[in-house]
Amino acid sequence: MIKKTVIALSLLLAQQVHAAPVRDQHWSLLANRLFPALADMGTARPGTAVLAGRRARIDACKQEPGCVLNAGLWTDAEIEAIAAAAAKAPASSWRKATLADDGAQAQAARELRGLNSIIQVYGLGMAPHYPLIDGPIDAAGSARFNATVKDAVWLAEAGEDDPVPSLDPSLRLAIALLDVNDRNDAVAFEPLDMAHNAAALGRARIIDWKLYRYTAIIIPGVGPETLSMALSARGKLNVRMAAKRFADGEAPFVILSGASVHPKGSRFVEAVEMRRALIERFGVPAESIIIEPYARHTTTNLRNVTRRLAAMGAPLDKDSLIITNVDQSRYIESAEFAARNQKELGYPPGTVGTRLSPTELTFRPSAKSLRIDPADPLDP
């Protein structure tokens, strides 16, 4: 009798363990990186009526991919309602961690618009802003694209009990669309500062910034156009110029910014390859190098570098120094680049200041660059 009771209890416990929600750590990273406000709101369940209506709309699709994708899109009225609810939600870890200056309501609205963008590009086949480097692995409308989208819908449904992207089914859908396309770029280096920048950040904590003219030398990536090439000719030029300027002692750090961008499908990460070259070819100490391996555009090079400067504790009211090839340097100073920042980011990532040479510009970062914007899910 005792033995049967023990067996029955063991079976009951096993069932309870099996019934527990299954947390996908990769999904958790993506959700918290791209949608921190929405992921945080998942347990509070604000805007219940709106969410219930959305859930009914999505459930009515009965897993038909096109219907699920369109039902998953957020209307302007729904965005407004959930963003307003975010503003009233209790302060939490994501809000304390960010230095964004425009509040929870604006952040939640950005995240919902970004979520729509992922569904549109990776699910509905809308052209991305930069089709040569962005978008799904298969051509929109192709048989393989349609099959991958169907798989994403199934994957999202299978993850229904995942506790992180729980606010609305569209979060799971967006993350599943990125997952089936193997677009893990947004979290590929996490935890970035602990795993890759720890030595430099440790040194930054004891730096006397007043001893240096610049907080850092900033080197934006310039990717090759050949899949087999790790570092482009202009990338090598940028590295050499950075090594020479670092040797002058006017900045304590070099920040290298650039992801795996050119050509589409490249596995070489610009920041990583430039770091390797600085250390192996020029003997720059590893503890003086910070990598920023996520930016895929010149706009986000400067935005993301500001985030690394903040993580280092560098004073944002002090100039840094951008060093890059003549063409890119001229572009960074141009009215065209300023307009692109306003269009794509909604703000300038900083102020481009004095030109010191054809390849050198001073740069004063802006705190607005610390805002999280998931509109481009690969540029967190």
Side-chain angles (χ1 to χ4, degrees):
M1 183 60 132
I2 294 175
K3 185 176 181 180
K4 289 181 179 179
T5 302
V6 170
I7 292 173
L9 286 172
S10 298
L11 289 172
L12 180 61
L13 288 171
Q15 290 171 352
Q16 289 175 341
V17 170
H18 182 69
V22 177
R23 180 190 295 267
D24 185 325
Q25 299 298 330
H26 180 66
W27 278 25
S28 295
L29 281 172
L30 280 171
N32 285 301
R33 185 66 181 251
L34 297 176
F35 309 114
L38 302 181
D40 183 69
M41 290 167 66
T43 55
R45 307 297 295 175
T48 303
V50 171
L51 295 175
R54 285 182 51 78
R55 183 59 194 250
R57 185 172 80 214
I58 293 170
D59 285 347
C61 291
K62 300 186 182 300
Q63 295 297 97
E64 195 285 311
C67 180
V68 170
L69 291 163
N70 283 289
L73 293 172
W74 288 76
T75 67
D76 290 341
E78 290 168 344
I79 291 174
E80 184 178 347
I82 295 302
K88 299 175 183 177
S92 53
S93 56
W94 81 266
R95 215 173 305 167
K96 294 174 183 176
T98 182
L99 298 178
D101 61 355
D102 58 349
Q105 185 166 348
Q107 179 60 41
R110 272 197 299 273
E111 292 180 18
L112 291 169
R113 287 192 295 269
L115 193 157
N116 276 354
S117 178
I118 294 172
I119 293 174
Q120 289 164 339
V121 171
Y122 289 88
L124 295 171
M126 181 180 292
H129 288 305
Y130 299 96
L132 294 179
I133 62 173
D134 293 341
I137 53 177
D138 298 306
S142 67
R144 287 177 57 182
F145 173 86
N146 293 334
T148 301
V149 168
K150 188 174 183 179
D151 288 343
V153 171
W154 286 349
L155 181 60
E157 179 66 18
E160 183 177 13
D161 65 345
D162 198 301
V164 176
S166 61
L167 178 71
D168 184 84
S170 61
L171 270 76
R172 295 193 305 275
L173 179 60
I175 291 171
L177 284 165
L178 294 177
D179 198 1
V180 297
N181 282 280
D182 201 25
R183 299 315 300 251
N184 69 337
D185 313 48
V187 294
F189 286 84
E190 294 307 303
L192 175 61
D193 289 333
M194 290 176 59
H196 302 279
N197 291 329
L201 289 181
R203 180 169 174 252
R205 283 192 286 269
I206 61 172
I207 283 288
D208 184 350
W209 299 99
K210 295 190 296 295
L211 298 178
Y212 298 91
R213 185 176 179 184
Y214 305 109
T215 55
I217 295 167
I218 298 170
I219 308 298
V222 183
E225 295 298 338
T226 305
L227 281 171
S228 60
M229 182 177 289
L231 192 59
S232 71
R234 290 190 176 187
K236 293 173 182 176
L237 170 64
N238 287 0
V239 166
R240 175 174 284 277
M241 292 190 296
K244 184 175 181 180
R245 204 68 159 93
F246 178 77
D248 293 340
E250 293 191 341
F253 297 99
V254 180
I255 304 181
L256 307 168
S257 177
S260 53
V261 184
H262 294 283
K264 186 176 181 179
S266 174
R267 293 297 180 181
F268 293 109
V269 178
E270 294 167 357
V272 172
E273 297 306 322
M274 289 191 291
R275 179 184 187 274
R276 179 177 291 113
L278 273 180
I279 293 171
E280 295 180 358
R281 298 174 64 159
F282 299 102
V284 176
E287 62 270 21
S288 297
I289 301 173
I290 294 280
I291 64 166
E292 187 295 295
Y294 291 124
R296 299 157 61 252
H297 311 284
T298 309
T299 54
T300 47
N301 281 142
L302 300 184
R303 181 197 68 184
N304 291 2
V305 161
T306 298
R307 296 175 179 178
R308 301 279 52 81
L309 286 167
M312 295 160 62
L316 298 186
D317 58 354
K318 187 179 178 72
D319 283 347
S320 51
L321 182 65
I322 302 172
I323 300 180
T324 187
N325 64 84
V326 171
D327 289 342
Q328 189 175 36
S329 185
R330 187 184 301 120
Y331 176 63
I332 289 171
E333 195 181 33
S334 69
E336 178 187 355
F337 182 62
R340 180 180 166 192
N341 280 315
Q342 196 61 45
K343 178 181 178 181
E344 297 182 11
L345 301 181
Y347 55 85
T351 302
V352 176
T354 306
R355 175 168 292 285
L356 304 180
S357 76
T359 59
E360 296 180 334
L361 289 165
T362 62
F363 177 72
R364 182 72 59 90
S366 167
K368 287 184 172 64
S369 291
L370 303 174
R371 296 178 184 175
I372 300 165
D373 187 353
D376 182 345
L378 310 183
D379 255 336

